[in-house]
């Protein structure tokens, strides 16, 4: 019994796993999606908006015309959850 306890105490903890950038962005997008749904944005539109916000905020990608339409339609919802950025709508 003591030998097994000694072996356990000698083990080093597993290395801290680095989270990839993609995994971080997926987690952020999921959080945005949930926030948007809580304030009344339908599920599919919330998903598309969350993706657009993540692409714009973290990947410096301009929103497409369809994304701009959704952003304009749900700008109050984006503001309610703190995701509103005027540049996002303008696509600059």
């Amino acid at each position: 019994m003591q030998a097994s306890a000694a072996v356990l105490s000698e083990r080093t903890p597993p290395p801290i796993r680095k989270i990839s950038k993609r995994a971080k962005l997926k987690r952020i997008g999921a959080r945005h999606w949930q926030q948007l749904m809580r304030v009344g944005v339908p599920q599919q539109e919330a998903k598309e908006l969350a993706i657009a916000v993540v692409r714009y905020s973290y990947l410096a990608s301009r929103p497409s015309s369809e994304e701009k339409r959704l952003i304009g339609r749900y700008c109050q919802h984006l503001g309610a959850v703190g995701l509103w950025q005027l540049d996002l709508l303008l696509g600059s």
Side-chain angles (χ1 to χ4, degrees):
M1 203 70 165
Q2 291 178 350
S4 63
V7 170
L8 288 176
S9 65
E10 290 177 8
R11 288 186 185 168
T12 58
I16 298 174
R17 196 178 88 182
K18 285 183 93 174
I19 299 174
S20 71
K21 183 177 181 178
R22 182 175 184 202
K24 286 179 187 177
L25 294 178
K26 282 182 82 171
R27 199 170 350 162
I28 292 167
R31 190 176 324 123
H32 291 347
W33 174 65
Q34 290 171 348
Q35 291 172 322
L36 289 165
M37 286 189 8
R38 278 191 209 117
V39 294
V41 178
Q43 184 175 1
Q44 187 60 36
E45 284 88 352
K47 180 180 176 182
E48 293 171 15
L49 280 169
I51 291 170
V53 169
V54 168
R55 283 183 184 157
Y56 179 79
S57 300
Y58 297 95
L59 302 175
S61 176
R62 291 183 173 182
S64 68
S65 58
E66 177 63 21
E67 290 170 338
K68 283 184 183 182
R69 186 189 65 74
L70 278 173
I71 292 164
R73 183 173 179 190
Y74 294 107
C75 62
Q76 291 180 341
H77 297 83
L78 287 165
V81 296
L83 298 176
W84 174 252
Q85 299 174 26
L86 181 59
D87 292 346
L88 182 63
L89 180 59
L90 299 176
S92 59

